[in-house]
Amino acid sequence: GLDVSGHQGTVSWHDAANGGAVFAYIKATEGTAYINPYFAQQYNGAYAEKIIRGAYHFATPNTSDGTTQANFFLKHGGGWSSDGLTLPPAIDLEYNPYGPSCYGLTPQALVTWVHAFVNQVHTSTGRYPVIYTSTRWWGQCTGNDAGFSSDPLWIPRYGSSVGTLPAGWTVQTFWQFADSG
């Protein structure tokens, strides 16, 4: 599978399918101001090639509450359909590229934020969103909260094994083991 965003621009999904791509997660939004300008081409292009696709939201918990960001995501590509070619929506929770690692929030405040996002997506789509996070970030920023085991886990670990998972999860749904492909 692939993880694509606006950084990849226009994707040749025909070439991706011929290269063995089976699924792709595509960044739709970030915070409440960014919409991937290539999202329609990337999302619909994957679908046209029968590549199972899903959309994800890059969380910025310091800019607005979880419900607001979930609604922005849902409005701009974060939906879900039972067509057999759509993965559940996903949320990308990782180190803040713009400031403090945990967005200046306490673990309790961050857990509250994630619950608000997850609950809004679940209420709107009937699906628990996939949570993309690393074991290290989750431990540091949520206090290793174990309350999200209903959500599928997408874990990045660039190595030969998936290693220790964040608290609450006994298995990962997706293991991202490379940053190219």
Side-chain angles (χ1 to χ4, degrees), residues 18 20 106 139:
N18 285 342
T106 65

Side-chain angles (χ1 to χ4, degrees), residues 2 20 46 49-51 71 73 88 92 99 105 120-121 151:
L2 306 169
E49 292 294 329
K50 306 288 189 242
I51 296 173
N71 286 333
F73 172 52
D92 182 343
L105 300 177
Q120 185 64 21
V121 169
D151 294 270

Side-chain angles (χ1 to χ4, degrees), residues 28-29 55-57 69-79 89-90 117 121:
T29 54
Y56 73 89
H57 174 77
Q69 287 195 34
N71 286 333
F72 183 76
F73 172 52
L74 292 163
K75 182 178 178 182
H76 299 286
F117 185 97
V121 169

Side-chain angles (χ1 to χ4, degrees), residues 89-108:
I91 180 169
D92 182 343
L93 293 160
E94 60 182 272
Y95 292 102
N96 180 1
Y98 312 112
S101 295
C102 301
Y103 299 88
L105 300 177
T106 65
Q108 181 181 3

Side-chain angles (χ1 to χ4, degrees), residues 112-123:
T112 298
W113 190 99
V114 176
H115 273 298
F117 185 97
V118 163
N119 291 341
Q120 185 64 21
V121 169
H122 183 253
T123 297

